[in-house]
Amino acid sequence: MQLTEVKLLASNTDLSLINKMMQRPPHEDFSLKETKPHLGGGKVTGDKLTSTYDLVEQMQYLYVRVVKAKDLPAKDVTGSCDPYVEVRMGNYKGTTRHFEKKTNPEWNQVFAFSKDRIQATMLEVTVKDKDVMKDDIMGGVLFDLNEVPKRVPPDSPLAPQWYRLADRKGDKLKGELMLAVWWGTQADEAFPEAWHSDAAAVSADGLASIRSKVYLSPKLWYLRVNVIEAQDLMPNDKTRFPEVFVKAILGNQALRTRVSMSKTINPLWNEDLMFVAAEPFEEPLILSVEDRVAPNKDEVLGRCAIPLQYVDRRLDHKAVNTRWFNLEKHVMIEGEKKKEVKFASRIHMRVCLEGGYHVLDESTHYSSDLRPTAKQLWKNSIGVLEVGILSAHGLSPMKTKDGRATTDAYCVAKYGTKWVRTRTIIDSFMPKWNEQYTWEVFDPCTVITIGVFDNCHLQGGGDKAGGARDSRIGKVRIRLSTLETDRVYTHSYPLLVLHPSGVKKMGEIHLAVRFTCSSLLNMMHMYSQPLLPKMHYIHPLTVSQLDSLRHQATQTVSLRLSRAEPPLRKEIVEYMLDVGSHMWSMRRSKANFLRIMAVLGGLIAIGKWFDQICNWKNPITTVLIHILFLILVLYPELILPTIFLYLFLIGVWYYRWKPRNPPHMDTRLSCADNAHPDELDEEFDTFPTSRPADVIRMRYDRLRSIAGRMQTVVGDLATQGERLQSLLSWRDPRATSLFVIFCLIAAIVLYVTPFQVVALFTGFYVLRHPRFRHKLPSVPLNFFRRLPARTDCML
């Protein structure tokens, strides 16, 4: 039996070409590279740092903590001063904020100078008085860098000391300054909030946007609103049957029920509406009962607001109690004034927050968290994921500053509800972060996403300053189940971004990853558990509901994180969560088709091999298959053990070629390296489209052509199914008569003939020598193709 589908695939796709395309190595420039960085400073034992910060290279910094000053001399006619502190190390200079008219100021600011960039031998800390014309020097303190102590966490912080101010000659002056100066690394707790010497050009307003931060996604709930009925509604027009529906609003989410079939003042619905709610609950659920009095005119019959803090929380499938809510009606008085009037109308509902579901804000294919919302349902963690974000190199220029190309790069990593953001390295195509982060792991079949971005908010002002958006440089996904436990993976991952002009490598990011398992037994047990919480299977949500709820969840997460300080901006969150992955893409469709063909390629290869056996291409192999077939028929109890033993041997054989490196973005698998420019332009088009009419017409005709071929394939599949049904439907009386008589004869023969004899006869007939074969189709296939289908009944 040859379907049009097979003909279509055979005519449009060469299977050998597909296999070569899927198996050939990727472009060398886009490949993953294993590295050997100098992790943990090269100290294996005896160093406290390596126990907690051993996946990054140590970076030495000179830290200066300016705490406060006292008894500063007066510098103006008011008998006071406007002091600030200047910390200078060679060509690098950092300043504290200044205080007006204060002789005992407190700053408590930390400055960090990278040892790699230090060229001086002395540290100079000067107290100055801010003036309109020229700032006056009030005194300072000098430190010899060779005398500065070294601190290694988790040692306690170095206690600051009072230093008497002196002039450049060393003579003591009035006033004292409290300081602490020490050598440390990026593991120091003062590191995240410190002013860094490589960020000297950043404005004071922009400093907050370059520091490393940890964010937490808001706790998300599914809110289920079961609208049952309403009673005693009071429509204004008593002469018509009301067409009533319920509209529910939560924040920027709005849903409505269908119009009630019972067109009375006591309508029934019994319909579920699903929302996404985030803690802390800031907005109430607002319901309004409305009457459609005209095609585009609705009349509000009553409203009620329900604070989510008082809504029941459900952890399993047991129904919560229903409640009646009174409706309030708004009446117009004197044209503009509104007055709330309570009356007897009410609505019957079941409202609950669903704690047994996992709120999907990521694609299920690469989700980083699968736990239910309610913490009571969480299982114990199975391990710890540690990621060292070391550096990047070869980054592409992302913008121009002062007439030259530059990049201000930072990383964002997302796993579970925890987001981390590294500090921004200013004006560098080879930034070094060397920051290490840790996550608890509750399921090994999850994915961590790490993205690299260019900071466009260094001058402060946020979105008000021209509406700048941080540019994406690329991202990496790592599936934890592909990692060996307790092994440190150090690789340089290519940062690939798809542009309308094609795929482009934006640089490489250097990562160190370690997945530590606390209980191997618990982790193995996870492979037998459902992927999602059980409520997804007991009361499953529809596909359209999941799509809508995922969109609302991503919008909620991006809105909340963009309100943090510094904000994790909307474009960053949406890129990390792959918000646009569901949109139509010709390139992605081709890639998925090739993936299917690669999977079916194994079955096709088995079919070709069996055809060679049947045609005696290799007589020795065919004879051995005959012997094996005879043994299995005579001893059928060996069939299943033989199959499982064969699979075991295949698995052991393939162990020699098991992947040694974690997977990464594959341009050939994604069909990104040979995509047509028009297909990429279509993929980057807005929704709804913004392209000219002739381009849209061309794309529409192309889509119609593809859909026509798919329509033919679906029709052929339906035809084969209808032919099967027509065997016993008597649509063709002669064919059904022949089939029924054949079934009777076959039943009698099989009743009196041992099954092994029938199996041997059938097997040897299929494996018969080519000289006993004909090139014409077999009798059963000819009979099947002559059966009627319902295609002749279609218009």
Side-chain angles (χ1 to χ4, degrees):
M1 180 179 61
Q2 293 181 350
L3 303 180
T4 304
E5 179 186 17
V6 178
K7 295 179 183 177
L8 176 66
L9 298 181
S11 62
N12 292 342
T13 311
D14 188 350
L15 294 179
S16 62
L17 179 62
I18 292 175
N19 291 331
K20 290 179 182 178
M21 191 172 179
M22 302 300 287
Q23 294 173 4
R24 62 182 172 174
H27 193 283
E28 183 180 0
D29 195 37
F30 295 164
S31 61
L32 186 73
K33 302 180 182 69
E34 189 168 6
T35 60
K36 297 184 182 298
H38 200 58
L39 299 182
K43 298 180 180 180
V44 179
T45 58
D47 186 8
K48 298 178 182 178
L49 180 62
T50 57
S51 63
T52 56
Y53 229 66
D54 58 343
L55 291 185
V56 292
E57 297 176 314
Q58 286 191 13
M59 299 175 68
Q60 297 292 327
Y61 287 89
L62 176 68
Y63 289 97
V64 181
R65 182 185 294 277
V66 180
V67 184
K68 57 184 176 180
K70 66 178 181 180
D71 301 332
L72 295 179
K75 287 291 182 178
D76 52 27
V77 294
T78 61
S80 185
C81 59
D82 304 327
Y84 69 94
V85 176
E86 179 183 280
V87 183
R88 182 181 292 273
M89 171 61 65
N91 294 328
Y92 295 102
K93 179 181 70 173
T95 58
T96 67
R97 61 188 181 277
H98 83 279
F99 290 96
E100 293 186 1
K101 303 187 185 310
K102 199 167 187 180
T103 57
N104 298 305
E106 292 189 15
W107 294 283
N108 200 26
Q109 287 184 242
V110 181
F111 299 83
F113 298 87
S114 175
K115 187 176 182 180
D116 295 338
R117 300 189 180 188
I118 292 179
Q119 297 178 343
T121 59
M122 300 293 291
L123 168 69
E124 184 178 350
V125 183
T126 308
V127 182
K128 293 187 176 183
D129 175 49
K130 194 170 186 64
D131 205 347
V132 178
M133 299 297 294
K134 183 180 178 181
D135 297 345
D136 298 325
I137 297 177
M138 306 172 69
V141 184
L142 291 176
F143 293 90
D144 186 347
L145 297 189
N146 296 321
E147 303 296 328
V148 173
K150 183 178 180 181
R151 175 183 176 250
V152 179
D155 287 352
S156 299
L158 194 68
Q161 300 180 29
W162 285 106
Y163 293 88
R164 184 77 176 268
L165 298 181
D167 58 16
R168 292 188 179 276
K169 298 178 181 179
D171 297 333
K172 298 300 181 182
L173 302 174
K174 181 182 180 182
E176 293 181 88
L177 182 63
M178 180 178 279
L179 295 171
V181 182
W182 71 96
W183 288 107
T185 67
Q186 72 271 33
D188 201 293
E189 54 267 24
F191 179 80
E193 297 297 329
W195 173 93
H196 289 268
S197 56
D198 56 2
V202 179
S203 65
D205 294 335
L207 279 177
S209 67
I210 69 171
R211 292 184 174 132
S212 56
K213 288 291 180 183
V214 176
Y215 304 83
L216 291 177
S217 294
K219 188 174 184 180
L220 301 178
W221 296 78
Y222 283 149
L223 175 67
R224 187 187 296 271
V225 182
N226 179 221
V227 183
I228 303 173
E229 60 179 331
Q231 282 186 357
D232 303 328
L233 298 180
M234 299 174 62
N236 292 334
D237 188 356
K238 310 289 191 199
T239 62
R240 53 179 290 276
F241 294 107
E243 298 181 11
V244 185
F245 63 91
V246 177
K247 182 190 292 183
I249 299 175
L250 180 65
N252 59 354
Q253 307 170 65
L255 297 175
R256 51 185 288 175
T257 66
R258 66 185 187 280
V259 175
S260 175
M261 301 298 292
S262 55
K263 298 183 178 182
T264 66
I265 61 173
N266 300 312
L268 297 172
W269 294 281
N270 198 23
E271 190 172 339
D272 276 355
L273 304 177
M274 297 290 293
F275 297 89
V276 174
E279 289 188 5
F281 303 123
E282 298 176 346
E283 297 168 325
L285 172 68
I286 299 174
L287 294 112
S288 62
V289 181
E290 302 185 13
D291 181 17
R292 178 166 297 164
V293 296
N296 292 315
K297 184 179 180 182
D298 300 324
E299 179 185 277
V300 178
L301 302 182
R303 283 194 180 94
C304 69
I306 304 173
L308 298 187
Q309 293 89 333
Y310 308 111
V311 170
D312 294 332
R313 303 188 179 192
R314 184 169 75 161
L315 304 183
D316 52 25
H317 60 282
K318 296 178 182 177
V320 298
N321 296 328
T322 61
R323 290 180 58 189
W324 287 95
F325 296 89
N326 293 325
L327 296 173
E328 297 177 347
K329 191 168 184 180
H330 296 261
V331 215
M332 298 297 295
I333 296 180
E334 296 180 0
E336 295 182 357
K337 295 183 179 179
K338 292 186 178 181
K339 181 181 179 182
E340 294 186 356
V341 178
K342 292 191 176 182
F343 63 118
S345 295
R346 57 182 187 164
I347 186 170
H348 191 199
M349 294 189 300
R350 181 183 285 111
V351 184
C352 66
L353 290 164
E354 297 279 10
Y357 290 91
H358 169 68
V359 180
L360 293 165
D361 58 348
E362 304 167 288
S363 171
T364 52
H365 300 298
Y366 28 81
S367 181
S368 64
D369 188 16
L370 301 168
R371 292 172 294 171
T373 299
K375 199 168 184 178
Q376 302 93 306
L377 303 178
W378 291 3
K379 294 181 173 62
N380 294 329
S381 65
I382 61 167
V384 172
L385 172 66
E386 298 166 279
V387 176
I389 303 176
L390 302 177
S391 60
H393 57 273
L395 295 184
S396 298
M398 300 303 296
K399 58 179 177 285
T400 56
K401 186 190 300 180
D402 299 329
R404 60 185 182 85
T406 183
T407 297
D408 306 315
Y410 67 93
C411 289
V412 175
K414 197 264 182 191
Y415 184 79
T417 59
K418 180 179 174 181
W419 302 65
V420 299
R421 170 178 173 159
T422 67
R423 72 190 188 282
T424 300
I425 305 299
I426 308 300
D427 192 15
S428 175
F429 301 127
M430 301 181 65
K432 290 186 177 181
W433 294 286
N434 283 304
E435 298 183 27
Q436 182 170 337
Y437 298 95
T438 305
W439 289 267
E440 276 191 300
V441 177
F442 294 85
D443 194 311
C445 301
T446 46
V447 176
I448 181 172
T449 304
I450 303 164
V452 185
F453 303 90
D454 176 55
N455 196 331
C456 298
H457 297 84
L458 300 183
Q459 302 307 316
D463 292 333
K464 297 178 181 178
R469 292 166 60 91
D470 289 353
S471 304
R472 60 184 69 169
I473 299 178
K475 67 181 173 184
V476 174
R477 296 194 199 100
I478 302 174
R479 183 171 291 274
L480 271 60
S481 59
T482 63
L483 304 179
E484 298 177 13
T485 55
D486 299 317
R487 174 187 166 186
V488 178
Y489 290 83
T490 53
H491 291 87
S492 185
Y493 294 80
L495 295 171
L496 306 176
V497 173
L498 195 64
H499 292 282
S501 58
V503 67
K504 183 180 178 182
K505 181 179 177 181
M506 307 293 287
E508 295 184 2
I509 182 172
H510 194 190
L511 302 174
V513 182
R514 177 171 58 207
F515 174 36
T516 306
C517 176
S518 57
S519 172
L520 182 61
L521 189 62
N522 287 342
M523 186 172 68
M524 294 300 185
H525 176 67
M526 288 299 299
Y527 282 88
S528 66
Q529 299 300 302
L531 191 65
L532 294 170
K534 64 180 182 179
M535 281 294 288
H536 286 269
Y537 307 97
I538 297 175
H539 287 297
L541 302 173
T542 64
V543 175
S544 60
Q545 277 182 321
L546 287 174
D547 286 343
S548 173
L549 291 171
R550 184 196 168 200
H551 173 73
Q552 294 298 336
T554 55
Q555 294 298 312
T556 302
V557 171
S558 62
L559 179 64
R560 290 292 180 92
L561 292 180
S562 65
R563 291 161 51 186
E565 188 58 43
L568 198 60
R569 301 184 184 277
K570 183 179 179 180
E571 63 269 20
I572 306 301
V573 176
E574 290 183 348
Y575 181 60
M576 297 289 288
L577 296 180
D578 272 321
V579 168
S581 61
H582 65 287
M583 299 297 290
W584 161 257
S585 165
M586 180 70 74
R587 173 194 60 83
R588 203 176 287 124
S589 301
K590 284 182 179 179
N592 289 333
F593 172 75
L594 292 177
R595 289 171 59 202
I596 292 176
M597 293 307 300
V599 172
L600 296 179
L603 298 177
I604 295 173
I606 293 174
K608 289 182 177 179
W609 172 81
F610 186 72
D611 183 67
Q612 292 176 355
I613 295 296
C614 294
N615 288 285
W616 292 69
K617 297 290 185 183
N618 189 334
I620 297 177
T621 305
T622 304
V623 170
L624 292 176
I625 293 298
H626 276 76
I627 296 173
L628 177 63
F629 175 72
L630 182 63
I631 294 173
L632 293 179
V633 170
L634 296 178
Y635 302 98
E637 64 275 8
L638 297 179
I639 295 177
L640 286 178
T642 302
I643 291 175
F644 285 112
L645 179 62
Y646 180 66
L647 295 176
F648 167 77
L649 293 176
I650 291 177
V652 172
W653 179 258
Y654 281 171
Y655 182 79
R656 300 164 55 191
W657 298 286
K658 76 169 187 174
R660 301 295 177 183
N661 302 323
H664 65 290
M665 301 290 186
D666 192 334
T667 56
R668 299 199 187 279
L669 181 67
S670 309
C671 290
D673 54 350
N674 57 359
H676 192 275
D678 182 70
E679 295 174 359
L680 294 176
D681 182 70
E682 181 182 24
E683 185 171 344
F684 283 91
D685 191 8
T686 57
F687 188 85
T689 182
S690 58
R691 297 298 184 263
D694 55 340
V695 174
I696 298 172
R697 186 180 299 110
M698 181 272 293
R699 291 174 180 171
Y700 175 63
D701 290 340
R702 181 177 61 194
L703 196 58
R704 287 177 64 192
S705 174
I706 297 172
R709 280 180 271 175
M710 293 177 60
Q711 171 184 286
T712 303
V713 171
V714 173
D716 277 351
L717 291 174
T719 297
Q720 312 312 320
E722 289 170 353
R723 284 175 176 169
L724 282 174
Q725 292 178 340
S726 66
L727 285 172
L728 296 172
S729 67
W730 295 92
R731 290 196 68 220
D732 184 342
R734 285 167 292 279
T736 303
S737 300
L738 288 173
F739 182 70
V740 170
I741 294 172
F742 168 77
C743 289
L744 177 62
I745 296 173
I748 295 173
V749 170
L750 292 176
Y751 269 125
V752 299
T753 307
F755 175 76
Q756 291 175 327
V757 174
V758 176
L760 281 175
F761 176 79
T762 305
F764 286 133
Y765 176 78
V766 172
L767 297 171
R768 67 192 184 277
H769 197 272
R771 71 175 58 180
F772 301 111
R773 295 176 181 273
H774 300 285
K775 292 186 177 181
L776 297 177
S778 62
V779 174
L781 188 56
N782 291 332
F783 178 79
F784 184 79
R785 285 178 174 171
R786 291 178 176 274
L787 291 172
R790 304 189 67 185
T791 51
D792 51 346
C793 300
M794 292 185 63
L795 292 174

Coordinates of all heavy atoms in Angstrom, one line a residue, residues 282 558-565 567-568:
E282 N -2.6 42.0 44.6 CA -2.8 43.5 44.7 C -4.2 44.0 44.2 O -4.6 45.0 44.6 CB -1.7 44.1 43.8 CG -0.3 43.9 44.3 CD 0.8 44.4 43.4 OE1 0.4 44.8 42.2 OE2 1.9 44.5 43.8
S558 N 6.9 39.2 33.9 CA 7.7 40.3 33.3 C 7.3 41.6 34.0 O 8.2 42.4 34.2 CB 7.6 40.3 31.8 OG 6.2 40.6 31.5
L559 N 6.1 41.8 34.3 CA 5.6 43.0 34.9 C 6.2 43.1 36.3 O 6.7 44.2 36.7 CB 4.1 43.1 34.9 CG 3.5 44.3 35.6 CD1 3.8 45.6 34.8 CD2 1.9 44.2 35.7
R560 N 6.1 42.1 37.1 CA 6.6 42.1 38.5 C 8.1 42.3 38.5 O 8.7 43.1 39.3 CB 6.2 40.9 39.2 CG 4.7 40.7 39.5 CD 4.3 41.8 40.5 NE 2.9 41.6 40.8 CZ 2.4 40.9 41.8 NH1 3.2 40.2 42.6 NH2 1.1 40.9 42.0
L561 N 8.9 41.6 37.7 CA 10.3 41.7 37.7 C 10.8 43.1 37.2 O 11.9 43.6 37.5 CB 11.0 40.6 36.9 CG 10.8 39.2 37.5 CD1 11.5 38.1 36.6 CD2 11.4 39.1 38.9
S562 N 10.0 43.7 36.3 CA 10.4 45.0 35.7 C 10.2 46.1 36.8 O 10.7 47.2 36.6 CB 9.6 45.3 34.5 OG 8.2 45.4 34.8
R563 N 9.5 45.8 37.9 CA 9.3 46.7 39.0 C 10.3 46.6 40.1 O 10.2 47.3 41.0 CB 7.9 46.6 39.5 CG 6.8 47.0 38.6 CD 5.4 46.4 38.9 NE 5.1 46.6 40.3 CZ 4.0 46.1 40.9 NH1 3.2 45.4 40.2 NH2 3.7 46.4 42.1
A564 N 11.2 45.6 39.9 CA 12.3 45.5 40.9 C 13.3 46.6 40.7 O 13.2 47.4 39.8 CB 12.9 44.1 40.8
E565 N 14.3 46.7 41.7 CA 15.3 47.7 41.6 C 16.7 47.1 41.8 O 17.0 46.6 42.9 CB 15.1 48.8 42.6 CG 16.0 50.0 42.5 CD 15.9 50.7 41.1 OE1 14.7 50.8 40.6 OE2 16.9 51.0 40.6
P567 N 15.6 47.0 37.7 CA 14.6 46.2 37.1 C 15.2 45.1 36.2 O 16.3 45.3 35.6 CB 13.8 47.2 36.3 CG 14.7 48.3 36.0 CD 15.6 48.4 37.2
L568 N 14.6 44.0 36.1 CA 14.9 43.0 35.1 C 13.8 43.2 34.0 O 12.7 42.8 34.2 CB 14.8 41.6 35.7 CG 15.4 40.4 34.9 CD1 16.9 40.7 34.8 CD2 15.2 39.1 35.6

